[in-house]
Amino acid sequence: MALVVAQEVPTSSIMAVPHGPVGVGMARRRMREELLASGVQDTVVDDAVLILSELLSNSCRHARPIYENGSPGSATAETNDAPVASVRASWRIDAQGRLTVAVTDGGGPTRPLPATPSITARGGRGLAIIRSLAKDWGVHDSVVGEVTVWAALSLQGAFATRVDLTPDLPPSLTRRAGVRTGRPLPGFPDFDDLP
């Protein structure tokens, strides 16, 4: 007779990943596995994984990493290890049926803002993709030297509620839309409070 042990699936997760392309793949795989195990719809999981990919890619391209055990160029006295350059990826399902995806890094020279790239541009569409998939998104200064960019998705009927971003929107609606600075993440405790 086989013994079956029930395993509780987490509704939130936080992980440090390397600051670079390898970290994007690691976070995408873990998020997909955990959300599918939690019973989240495939379409919502696909949207969440795409959002996480865009947030991590933007972080790797435009922001500094977080150094877990010192600053760049330093080494710890006990281990003589070089500092670990990473970013934090996290996701959480709250009681209101909302999935919040967030990436925390060391910040960059500018604030994240949606761009309007030319048709031939190789990049610059990440935040527009996030805006079209997410119910809300924003930027939050979590602690000194760290910046978190987050996006919230609905777990119910997410595909039907996507926003079409048309180029004919008035500038007052497209300028800095969705960007919030210095406000806490909706339904998200401080990252330091998470286990």
Side-chain angles (χ1 to χ4, degrees):
M1 169 159 65
L3 178 63
V4 178
V5 178
Q7 184 177 10
E8 186 176 324
V9 178
T11 57
S12 67
S13 193
I14 238 179
M15 67 184 294
V17 296
H19 185 260
V22 171
V24 177
M26 291 170 59
R28 285 171 52 103
R29 282 186 292 280
R30 179 167 161 191
M31 174 190 255
R32 180 174 296 284
E33 289 170 5
E34 287 185 10
L35 292 179
L36 288 173
S38 296
V40 176
Q41 295 175 22
D42 290 352
T43 56
V44 177
V45 172
D46 291 342
D47 289 351
V49 168
L50 178 57
I51 287 171
L52 179 65
S53 294
E54 292 296 336
L55 291 175
L56 284 169
S57 296
N58 285 348
S59 174
C60 293
R61 186 172 189 178
H62 303 290
R64 293 176 297 275
I66 300 167
Y67 289 93
E68 298 298 330
N69 58 348
S71 60
S74 70
T76 57
E78 292 109 28
T79 63
N80 218 17
D81 291 334
V84 178
S86 64
V87 295
R88 281 193 301 273
S90 61
W91 47 93
R92 176 189 170 109
I93 299 172
D94 65 19
Q96 290 77 37
R98 191 171 47 193
L99 169 62
T100 303
V101 179
V103 170
T104 303
D105 56 40
T110 61
R111 301 299 285 176
L113 292 172
T116 310
S118 70
I119 293 173
T120 59
R122 292 183 184 219
R125 294 172 183 83
L127 289 177
I129 290 169
I130 291 168
R131 278 190 353 187
S132 68
L133 295 175
K135 291 277 196 189
D136 198 8
W137 77 278
V139 180
H140 172 70
D141 295 304
S142 34
V143 296
V144 176
E146 293 185 3
V147 174
T148 300
V149 182
W150 58 269
L153 298 96
S154 172
L155 293 180
Q156 302 299 321
F159 186 79
T161 59
R162 287 184 180 164
V163 177
D164 269 334
L165 298 176
T166 58
D168 54 283
L169 286 175
S172 62
L173 294 178
T174 59
R175 208 172 322 133
R176 297 186 55 82
V179 176
R180 296 194 179 135
T181 303
R183 291 178 48 183
L185 303 173
F188 231 102
D190 252 353
F191 287 106
D192 296 332
D193 297 338
L194 290 175

